[in-house]
C-alpha cells in the first residue's frame, strides 16, 4: 500500500507532457484480439488499467510485449479461447470490451461481469441489447455473460442512453458481422473515434464515428501489421489544466488536442482563468480569485463527468456558490466527504452538489475512493495550506501515468511513500 504526502500551496509552473488516452487504450488493447496477427500500439499510457488488460490478453494466449516504454506489440494469433475468468476481469470495468472482441473474433464469448470504480449502478444492458440485435444469444449464468452466435449479422441498433462502452463494444462485435450495422444515438467521445480509426487501419469499414450515427459495413477479415498511435488523454490534460487554474500557477499542457478540451476551456475562462491555445498545447494561467460557476456533466462534447470531482475541488476556493449537476452517474459524490475533511463546504442533494467557496482548504488525511475522486484530492491537497496525506493511491495509478513525477517537475511538493 502506498500513499501520497503533499505539502500544498507551492506554485506550479512549467510544461507537462500528456500521455496517451486511458479510455482509448483500454478499448484498443482488447480490439487487438479481433485479428489473428500482430499490431503495434504507440503512445500507450503506463497505468494500472493497461497492465491489467495486458494480463487478460496474455491469459487468453496472446503475445504482448513492450517494444519501448509506451509501445505495445500484441499478437493475438494463438488466442484460441473465448472464455475469460473472474480472476482476470474482476478489477477492471473495461474488461467488458473482451466480450465484444471475442464475440467479433470467434462468435462466442464467456466473460464474468466487469469490476471497476464504484459510482452507483453501472448496467451493461445496452451492450447486451446490441449483441442480441446482431444475432447473438446472450445469457447470464453464475455471474458470467455468455454470448454466442452462429453468424453475427448487421442490424440497426438505437441506444436508449448514450453509452461510450456500448458504442465501442458494438463496433468490436460488428466489424466482421455480415452486412451493415448502424448504431444510432452513439457516443461521440474522442476515444470512440480513436478506436474506429484503429479498426479501420486493420481493414474494418466504419464510418461516422464522432457523430451520433455510426455505420459499420462488415468485412470478411482484418489484417495484422497495423501501427496505431493513441490520442492524448483528454482527462489527464483536463486534470492538469484545473491544477494550473489556481492563483500563482502557470502550466503549459503539451501534446493535447485543444478541440477535445473546449468544454473545460470555456468553463475555466468563465471562472476568470486565462486559457491560451498554442497549436497542440494549452497554457493555463491561474486566476487571482476563481469565480463561481455552474456545471452540468454530459456526454461529449458536454462537460466530462470524469473531470467533475477535480473541478469541484477547484470551486471549493471560488468566490460565491457553485453548483455541479452530475448528468451521467448516480453516485459520483463520494469525494465530497473527503474534501470536507479539508474544510470544503459542500452539500449534496441527489445528483447536485452545492459548493460554497471557502477562504482556505487545510491539509488533512484523506482516502481516494475512485480514480477521479483521487485526482480531486490531489488537486485539493495542492491548493491546501499545510500537509495532506492521500491513501488508496492505487486508484490514481490505474489512470494517471507518473502523476507525482509530472507534478514534481512543475514544482509541487509531493511524495509517494509505502505504508
Ligand atoms: N448505461 C446504461 N446501460 C448501459 C451502459 C451505460 O444505462 O448498457 C448508462 C450508465 O449507467 C451511465 C451512462 O449510461 O449512466 C453512461 O455510461 P457509459 O457506458 O458511457 O460509461 P462507461 O462506458 O462504462 C466510460 C468511461 C468512464 C466514463 C464514462 C462516461 C471507460 C473505460 N470508462 O464508462 O470513465 O465516466 O464512459 O464518459 O471508457 C474514468 O475514466 O474515470 C471513467 C470512469
Amino acid at each position: 500500500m502506498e500513499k501520497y504526502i503533499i505539502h500544498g500551496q507551492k506554485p506550479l509552473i512549467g510544461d507537462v507532457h500528456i500521455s496517451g488516452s486511458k479510455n482509448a487504450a483500454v478499448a484498443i488493447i482488447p480490439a487487438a484480439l479481433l485479428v489473428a496477427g500482430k499490431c503495434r500500439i504507440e503512445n500507450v499510457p503506463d497505468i494500472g488499467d493497461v497492465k491489467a488488460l495486458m494480463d487478460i490478453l496474455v491469459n487468453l494466449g496472446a503475445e504482448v510485449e513492450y517494444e519501448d516504454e509506451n509501445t505495445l506489440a500484441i499478437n493475438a494469433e494463438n488466442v484460441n479461447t473465448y472464455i475469460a475468468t473472474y480472476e482476470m476481469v474482476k478489477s477492471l470495468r473495461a474488461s467488458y470490451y473482451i466480450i465484444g472482441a471475442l464475440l467479433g473474433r470467434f462468435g462466442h464469448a464467456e466473460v464474468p461481469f466487469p469490476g471497476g470504480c464504484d459510482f452507483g449502478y453501472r448496467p451493461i444492458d445496452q451492450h447486451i441489447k446490441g449483441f442480441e440485435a446482431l444475432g447473438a444469444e446472450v445469457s447470464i449464468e453464475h455471474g458470467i455473460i455468455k454470448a454466442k452466435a452462429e453468424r453475427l449479422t448487421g442490424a440497426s441498433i438505437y441506444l436508449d442512453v448514450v453509452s461510450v462502452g456500448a458504442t465501442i463494444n458494438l463496433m468490436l462485435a460488428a466489424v466482421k458481422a455480415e452486412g451493415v450495422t448502424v448504431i444510432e444515438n452513439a457516443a461521440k467521445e474522442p476515444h470512440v473515434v480513436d478506436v474506429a480509426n484503429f479498426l479501420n487501419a486493420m481493414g474494418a469499414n466504419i464510418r461516422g464515428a464522432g457523430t451520433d450515427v455510426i455505420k459499420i459495413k462488415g468485412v470478411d477479415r482484418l489484417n495484422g501489421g497495423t501501427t496505431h498511435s493513441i490520442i492524448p488523454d483528454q482527462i489527464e490534460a483536463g486534470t492538469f489544466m484545473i491544477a494550473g487554474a489556481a492563483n500563482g500557477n502557470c502550466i503549459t499542457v503539451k501534446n493535447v488536442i485543444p478541440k477535445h478540451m473546449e468544454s473545460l476551456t470555456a468553463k475555466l475562462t468563465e471562472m476568470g482563468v486565462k486559457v491560451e491555445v498554442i497549436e497542440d498545447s494549452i497554457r493555463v494561467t491561474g486566476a487571482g480569485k476563481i469565480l463561481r460557476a455552474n456545471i452540468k456533466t454530459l456526454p461529449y462534447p458536454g462537460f466530462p463527468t470524469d473531470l467533475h470531482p477535480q473541478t469541484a475541488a477547484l470551486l471549493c476556493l471560488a468566490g460565491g456558490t457553485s453548483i455541479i449537476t452530475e448528468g451521467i452517474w448516480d453516485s459520483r459524490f463520494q469525494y465530497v466527504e473527503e474534501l470536507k475533511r479539508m474544510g470544503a463546504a459542500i452539500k449534496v442533494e441527489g445528483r447536485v452538489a452545492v459548493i460554497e467557496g471557502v477562504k482556505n482548504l487545510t491539509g488533512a488525511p484523506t482516502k481516494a475512493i475512485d480514480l477521479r475522486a483521487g485526482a480531486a484530492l490531489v488537486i485539493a491537497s495542492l491548493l491546501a495550506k499545510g500537509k495532506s496525506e492521500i491513501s488508496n493511491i492505487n486508484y490514481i495509478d490505474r489512470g494517471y501515468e507518473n502523476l507525482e513525477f509530472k507534478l514534481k517537475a512543475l514544482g509541487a511538493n509531493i511524495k509517494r511513500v509505502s505504508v
Side-chain angles (χ1 to χ4, degrees):
M1 287 270 277
E2 290 177 313
K3 62 182 177 184
Y4 279 150
I5 299 197
I6 298 176
H7 292 268
Q9 300 196 331
K10 308 280 180 245
L12 302 180
I13 294 170
D15 298 347
V16 61
H17 185 91
I18 296 308
S19 301
S21 159
K22 165 179 98 76
N23 287 344
V26 298
I28 285 173
I29 293 169
L33 285 171
L34 280 164
V35 64
K38 185 168 171 177
C39 19
R40 286 178 72 250
I41 310 168
E42 299 173 344
N43 204 29
V44 178
D46 183 12
I47 53 173
D49 275 6
V50 161
K51 291 189 186 111
L53 264 172
M54 285 169 62
D55 284 347
I56 297 177
L57 261 67
V58 168
N59 276 304
L60 290 170
E63 285 166 34
V64 183
E65 57 180 33
Y66 274 106
E67 287 188 357
D68 63 43
E69 221 174 306
N70 295 105
T71 304
L72 267 188
I74 301 179
N75 188 343
E77 190 164 5
N78 294 329
V79 172
N80 56 17
T81 178
Y82 51 80
I83 298 174
T85 63
Y86 180 67
E87 279 310 305
M88 291 185 206
V89 304
K90 66 178 181 196
S91 66
L92 190 69
R93 180 73 187 161
S95 55
Y96 50 42
Y97 292 135
I98 303 290
I99 312 172
L102 292 176
L103 187 61
R105 167 102 176 250
F106 299 117
H108 203 157
E110 294 190 6
V111 180
F113 263 96
C117 285
D118 177 13
F119 25 75
Y121 181 46
R122 297 186 73 173
I124 56 166
D125 57 302
Q126 299 302 304
H127 304 229
I128 292 173
K129 169 178 123 168
F131 296 146
E132 286 175 339
L134 295 173
E137 246 176 59
V138 184
S139 62
I140 296 164
E141 292 166 35
H142 307 292
I144 299 169
I145 302 158
K146 299 184 176 180
K148 189 176 178 187
E150 280 305 315
R151 182 87 181 94
L152 291 166
T153 38
S156 190
I157 304 159
Y158 186 92
L159 297 179
D160 300 338
V161 287
V162 179
S163 160
V164 173
T167 303
I168 293 178
N169 230 345
L170 295 177
M171 290 198 306
L172 300 181
V175 270
K176 295 206 295 174
E178 197 176 327
V180 178
T181 298
V182 181
I183 308 173
E184 292 192 69
N185 200 25
K188 299 184 282 223
E189 267 67 3
H191 33 289
V192 173
V193 180
D194 207 33
V195 177
N197 287 342
F198 173 66
L199 293 170
N200 284 342
M202 293 202 293
N205 186 342
I206 303 174
R207 299 285 170 260
T211 75
D212 54 11
V213 182
I214 299 180
K215 285 198 178 126
I216 305 153
K217 199 165 170 208
V219 294
D220 288 337
R221 52 171 289 138
L222 296 174
N223 311 309
T226 316
T227 294
H228 177 81
S229 183
I230 290 180
I231 54 167
D233 195 299
Q234 176 202 18
I235 305 302
E236 189 201 11
T239 303
F240 278 100
M241 286 171 68
I242 294 165
N247 190 17
N249 296 352
C250 180
I251 298 182
T252 303
V253 182
K254 299 205 135 183
N255 180 40
V256 294
I257 299 176
K259 175 88 192 145
H260 297 169
M261 308 311 304
E262 276 175 351
S263 59
L264 177 64
T265 297
K267 266 304 153 193
L268 288 177
T269 307
E270 201 181 308
M271 292 179 206
V273 178
K274 188 171 167 195
V275 184
E276 300 159 272
V277 174
I278 311 146
E279 294 173 4
D280 64 352
S281 299
I282 299 182
R283 184 188 297 141
V284 178
T285 310
K289 180 77 188 161
I290 299 290
L291 307 177
R292 59 157 300 282
N294 293 341
I295 288 170
K296 175 158 187 182
T297 68
L298 289 168
Y300 188 83
F303 194 93
T305 174
D306 294 339
L307 287 175
H308 152 176
Q310 302 90 314
T311 312
L314 178 67
L315 287 173
C316 286
L317 294 180
T321 306
S322 304
I323 295 176
I324 300 189
T325 308
E326 173 55 44
I328 308 290
W329 298 113
D330 288 338
S331 149
R332 195 157 207 173
F333 293 102
Q334 298 180 64
Y335 67 89
V336 166
E337 289 308 310
E338 300 303 305
L339 288 183
K340 280 187 185 170
R341 292 175 200 277
M342 305 178 72
I346 309 177
K347 276 195 200 124
V348 178
E349 187 70 50
R351 284 186 170 209
V352 176
V354 179
I355 306 174
E356 296 287 349
V358 292
K359 242 186 160 166
N360 273 308
L361 292 175
T362 48
T366 59
K367 188 166 84 185
I369 293 194
D370 62 56
L371 167 60
R372 308 304 174 187
L377 294 177
V378 170
I379 289 184
S381 305
L382 293 168
L383 293 170
K385 262 191 179 167
K387 178 180 164 189
S388 296
E389 291 185 15
I390 306 174
S391 55
N392 277 14
I393 60 171
N394 54 307
Y395 277 115
I396 301 175
D397 293 338
R398 289 173 58 164
Y400 288 90
E401 180 175 71
N402 289 335
L403 182 63
E404 75 263 26
F405 294 104
K406 292 184 181 186
L407 283 171
K408 254 190 216 156
L410 292 168
N413 185 337
I414 175 170
K415 207 165 56 181
R416 174 185 290 260
V417 296
S418 294
V419 184

